[in-house]
Amino acid sequence: MVLIHFAKKNQCQGESRGESGENQGENQKISARQEIQEAQKIAEQIPFSQLKPINSLDVGDGWAGILLVWLALYEESSHEKFLDQAKEIGKRLLVEKDKIENPCSGFFHGYAGMSYALFRLYKLTQDPIFYEQALYWVNQERELFVEEAQNWLVSGSTPEEPRYWTQYCHGSAGIGLGRLASFSISRDPSLLQEAEIALKTTYEDLALPFDFLCCGQMGSLDVFITAGEKLDPKYNKWAWNRASLILERKKQLGRFSFSPQIPIEDPSLFRGLAGIGYQLLRLQSPRKFPSLLLLE
């Protein structure tokens, strides 16, 4: 998936250059095609019948994440085999839809990501069964919303003992991101209303102790960047304000903030410096650097 993502980034950059950068732009397009071909080769080497996620349906560890990868492969290659396999993955999600032990809000490990994956599949297939299941999971997540908190309960909490998060993985940032992307497919105004609630709730929470993508401030930043692209340019200011706070804290600490279990600067993508660096590039040029967290 990372190969596809960076190939699309190179493609965007190649197409945006003027005559003075014609040769460089053409080289980037060639590089993008090579990266897409490499991703296809890797996927074709995986025995499709043996695909088995870690007992999960979500984006992070489960079938929804595999589905998003296969949809990206199809969109970049137009090979019908990948779309046929994506349909099979979608059907697996339908078969196992009731195997969720703990209702979970958020994108990476929750209903928002699962519903978004099926909305994406519906967009390409126009099969209403995938649309209906996507809406079902949206409604399941709505049952976790608490009006007084303007947020969604996280897994394992109850109205009597509530816990609310604002991260991408679990919480309002991921829900807002999922609703924004899903709205562009379904055009259901209720998704947009929920996205705006999630944006406000996420923006008001300055207490996240970490900076990386998955559970930290850089993940929350992406919902503001995406809203600036898809919804209203005013959210670009929100994104820059949040980035300024992150960089100010980095200046005070002498480094970005990671998990306390990791005493050094982690170089990885979702939980380390690579993701932080990419997100800062995305903040500067959203069209050249698509959303990693949506697996676009």
Side-chain angles (χ1 to χ4, degrees):
M1 186 65 209
V2 172
L3 277 172
I4 298 171
H5 187 85
F6 281 94
K8 292 172 79 172
K9 182 265 293 180
N10 282 337
Q11 198 169 40
C12 289
Q13 289 182 330
E15 292 171 353
S16 67
R17 295 181 181 276
E19 291 182 7
S20 63
E22 184 175 341
N23 290 337
Q24 186 175 356
E26 187 60 33
N27 288 337
Q28 285 188 313
K29 289 181 186 179
I30 293 170
S31 176
R33 287 195 293 270
Q34 291 173 340
E35 288 166 351
I36 290 170
Q37 289 169 0
E38 182 65 22
Q40 292 171 23
K41 287 179 183 178
I42 292 170
E44 288 168 353
Q45 291 171 3
I46 301 172
F48 183 75
S49 61
Q50 296 179 25
L51 280 177
K52 187 174 178 59
I54 308 172
N55 192 31
S56 175
L57 302 183
D58 66 20
V59 170
D61 301 315
W63 285 113
I66 296 174
L67 174 58
L68 288 171
V69 172
W70 253 251
L71 291 175
L73 286 165
Y74 170 70
E75 288 174 332
E76 292 304 314
S77 69
S78 299
H79 290 177
E80 289 295 325
K81 179 183 78 170
F82 289 126
L83 182 58
D84 290 339
Q85 291 175 337
K87 292 176 187 175
E88 291 302 311
I89 297 168
K91 291 174 182 176
R92 179 64 64 91
L93 280 166
L94 298 180
V95 169
E96 300 188 6
K97 64 183 174 64
D98 295 320
K99 293 186 178 180
I100 301 173
E101 295 181 2
N102 296 309
C104 191
S105 63
F107 193 96
F108 208 52
H109 295 301
Y111 290 122
M114 292 153 54
S115 60
Y116 165 68
L118 284 184
F119 276 126
R120 284 270 303 272
L121 182 58
Y122 165 75
K123 180 181 179 181
L124 292 172
T125 65
Q126 294 298 297
D127 188 333
I129 193 170
F130 298 128
Y131 188 90
E132 290 165 7
Q133 182 59 37
L135 282 182
Y136 172 79
W137 276 330
V138 168
N139 287 326
Q140 290 292 102
E141 195 161 51
R142 283 172 176 161
E143 292 184 8
L144 301 175
F145 184 71
V146 177
E147 184 71 31
E148 294 79 7
Q150 291 290 284
N151 204 344
W152 293 257
L153 294 168
V154 299
S155 179
S157 66
T158 65
E160 294 74 29
E161 297 181 3
R163 287 187 296 127
Y164 308 103
W165 292 356
T166 58
Q167 288 98 318
Y168 158 75
C169 51
H170 300 282
S172 60
I175 293 169
L177 195 62
R179 295 293 196 271
L180 284 170
S182 297
F183 173 75
S184 67
I185 298 169
S186 78
R187 312 309 293 181
D188 180 343
S190 65
L191 296 177
L192 196 57
Q193 293 166 5
E194 290 173 310
E196 290 173 331
I197 290 172
L199 281 159
K200 186 172 184 295
T201 297
T202 303
Y203 188 70
E204 289 175 350
D205 181 14
L206 302 177
L208 289 182
F210 311 128
D211 294 327
F212 50 78
L213 284 179
C214 183
C215 313
Q217 294 278 13
M218 284 296 178
S220 300
L221 182 69
D222 201 57
V223 70
F224 307 132
I225 299 173
T226 302
E229 290 182 280
K230 297 180 182 291
L231 188 56
D232 189 324
K234 76 176 185 180
Y235 293 111
N236 292 326
K237 184 176 180 180
W238 290 26
W240 282 96
N241 288 345
R242 181 56 53 91
S244 296
L245 291 175
I246 296 169
L247 294 175
E248 180 61 29
R249 181 167 70 180
K250 189 257 185 185
K251 182 178 179 181
Q252 293 173 0
L253 294 176
R255 59 171 228 158
F256 287 107
S257 178
F258 298 96
S259 169
Q261 288 82 23
I262 305 174
I264 60 173
E265 290 191 327
D266 186 336
S268 66
L269 186 66
F270 267 74
R271 299 180 68 86
L273 285 172
I276 291 173
Y278 184 90
Q279 201 71 331
L280 290 172
L281 290 171
R282 173 161 161 71
L283 177 67
Q284 188 73 34
S285 303
R287 290 187 66 251
K288 290 183 180 180
F289 296 89
S291 173
L292 273 174
L293 300 185
L294 283 172
L295 281 73
E296 289 182 329

